[in-house]
């Protein structure tokens, strides 16, 4: 059964066709989110298409989704996510590309950046540091969450051409 949240998330996709949005898998935990109260950036990999991911960015007008394509494999060395600034061990960060909105995207123009391979940035900014995942030291969880929202909004603006 399709929830109103799922319908709203599919309609919020900014850089893909309606068909692509209809084919993406929306996890159960995403369907349980409140789109009107969304404060954090959420992301997930599509279990039916592992090379595909979705980033859901809160905006003043509600959440906006970005369809991502992952490069094959992850990084071959420790690397830092450009959005949440969490450092990961080998393979914990991957290069993701997002088609630009509109005609540019239809012609193959993309924007790429390094993001947590599991797209779970919101969990990583609140995580207790471990050898595999190390959030920015000396910064509070609230500051890390705010920074994640700001950098994700900047990425969204680049994809949509609004920034």
């Amino acid at each position: 059964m399709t929830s109103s949240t799922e319908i709203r998330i599919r309609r919020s996709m900014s850089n893909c066709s309606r068909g692509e949005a209809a084919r993406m898998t929306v996890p159960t935990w995403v369907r349980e989110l409140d789109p009107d109260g969304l404060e954090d950036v959420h992301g997930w990999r599509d279990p039916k298409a592992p090379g595909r991911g979705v980033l859901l960015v809160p905006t003043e007008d509600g959440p906006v989704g970005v369809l991502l394509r992952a490069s094959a494999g992850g990084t071959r060395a420790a690397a830092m996510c450009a959005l949440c600034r969490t450092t990961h061990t080998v393979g914990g960060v991957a290069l993701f590309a997002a088609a630009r909105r509109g005609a540019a995207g239809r012609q193959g123009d993309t924007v790429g950046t390094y993001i947590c391979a599991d797209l779970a940035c919101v969990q990583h900014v609140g995580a207790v540091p471990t050898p595999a995942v190390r959030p920015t030291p000396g910064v509070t969880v609230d500051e890390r969450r705010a920074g994640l929202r700001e950098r994700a909004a900047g990425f969204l603006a680049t994809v949509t051409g609004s920034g």
Side-chain angles (χ1 to χ4, degrees):
M1 182 171 179
T2 304
S3 70
S4 61
T5 298
E6 183 176 346
I7 292 168
R8 195 161 161 199
I9 288 170
R10 290 182 192 282
R11 288 182 181 162
S12 80
M13 298 305 293
S14 64
N15 68 329
C16 65
S17 69
R18 283 188 225 159
E20 287 174 309
R23 286 187 296 276
M24 73 181 193
T25 303
V26 179
T28 303
W29 65 266
V30 175
R31 287 185 231 130
E32 294 169 355
L33 294 174
D34 174 13
D36 294 321
L38 194 69
E39 294 181 4
D40 288 314
V41 175
H42 293 280
W44 67 92
R45 298 286 289 259
D46 190 331
K48 293 183 180 175
R52 183 171 49 208
V54 177
L55 200 62
L56 199 58
V57 182
T59 70
E60 290 180 7
D61 299 325
V64 177
V66 177
L67 186 67
L68 304 167
R69 303 275 182 217
S71 64
T75 54
R76 294 185 179 155
M80 179 185 287
C81 172
L83 298 183
C84 69
R85 303 246 170 104
T86 300
T87 305
H88 295 268
T89 56
V90 175
V93 173
L95 176 62
F96 285 90
R100 289 190 184 266
R101 181 190 295 187
R106 287 189 295 276
Q107 294 174 359
D109 192 5
T110 61
V111 178
T113 193
Y114 288 94
I115 306 174
C116 296
D118 60 4
L119 294 173
C121 293
V122 70
Q123 282 92 18
H124 297 308
V125 296
V128 175
T130 68
V133 178
R134 295 181 300 279
T136 308
V139 181
T140 68
V141 170
D142 287 339
E143 290 170 330
R144 291 193 299 250
R145 287 176 65 205
L148 169 59
R149 283 190 299 271
E150 182 180 314
R151 289 182 289 278
F155 179 70
L156 174 64
T158 302
V159 170
T160 61
S162 63

